Every structure is written in structure tokens, then in C-alpha cells.
Amino acid sequence: MNSVIRAAHRPCTLVVCRGCCCGNPRKFPGTDHAWQLDRLRAAAKDSGGRFTVRTTDCLGPCDQANVIVVQPSAAGRRAGARAVWIGFAMDDDCTDDLLRWVSAGGPGVAEPPATLSLQFIRPPREARARARG
């Protein structure tokens, strides 16, 4: 029963890829990957539970690194939202836009900044199949 209650109030979640390409300073030396992750985690901590951050191994679209998946909150899911995949998430402007959006509620709750929506990418085929199943 507690898991049902928790699921009803689940916040928006940022899933930050840190696999083979994303977060790799040898492949993308102009980006401070550790600082970006630290910034996302600090903002989540300061958000009062509005969103969380976790990392995962390779999400798949390595040619569009860094990839971040924004999973909707319970309220966003009730509104019909699905996870949103963001590619090329490497600069401060993207991080600012991402934090602004998830702080406002994320998918299904708030409209994304226009510049961030330009970075939305299609999830890999496997992820689309899992979402349907």
C-alpha cells in the first residue's frame, strides 16, 4: 500500500546518461560533465522534492550525447505525459532550461522552454517498445 501512495506522489525524475559517451571528458573535452551532474543534483536537493536526479549507464543514442531523459511526475502521467528524451545536453543554457522546466513540473505539467524543445530526440527503438508494453 505504501508503494501505491508513493507512486501517486512521485516527482519528475531526470535520468542522466553516464555511459560510454555521455559524460566522457575524453570524447567531449569542452564540457564539464561532473559540474553539470553536481548542479543537477544540488538543484534537486534544493527543490523541496519537486524533482529527483539519477544516473544510468548507456541509454543508446550515443551520437546525440549527452542524453537526459525527463520522466514525468505522477501528475504529469495522469495528464498523459510520457518520458521526454533530450539530446546534446552539454551547455549551461540547456542545463538552465532543463532545471527551469522540471522545477515548474516537467512533462504534462509545464510547457518546456522553446529552446529546450529543439533538443528533444526520439528514444531508441528498444525504449519505445518498452513504453508501449
Side-chain angles (χ1 to χ4, degrees):
M1 186 70 157
N2 283 341
S3 64
V4 172
I5 292 169
R6 281 193 305 265
H9 301 289
R10 184 166 292 141
C12 184
T13 301
L14 297 178
V15 182
V16 182
C17 183
R18 285 299 182 253
C20 63
C21 295
C22 296
N24 187 331
R26 286 187 312 263
K27 290 189 178 194
F28 301 102
T31 300
D32 190 342
H33 304 282
W35 178 86
Q36 181 190 44
L37 188 56
D38 289 345
R39 185 170 171 215
L40 294 171
R41 286 180 171 156
K45 184 178 176 184
D46 293 342
S47 76
R50 285 191 310 267
F51 69 95
T52 62
V53 175
R54 68 181 182 91
T55 59
T56 189
D57 201 12
C58 187
L59 288 169
C62 297
D63 60 331
Q64 297 170 335
N66 287 345
V67 176
I68 298 175
V69 177
V70 184
Q71 295 176 330
S73 64
R77 287 202 187 276
R78 284 191 297 273
R82 297 215 180 262
V84 175
W85 289 58
I86 300 169
F88 312 103
M90 289 199 225
D91 65 16
D92 292 342
D93 291 336
C94 177
T95 303
D96 291 343
D97 285 347
L98 185 58
L99 288 173
R100 202 170 12 261
W101 186 36
V102 297
S103 293
V109 176
E111 287 295 317
T115 51
L116 186 64
S117 64
L118 294 172
Q119 291 180 244
F120 289 4
I121 60 173
R122 287 179 54 93
R125 186 177 321 200
E126 312 83 62
R128 290 194 307 270
R130 280 193 308 269
R132 286 190 301 268

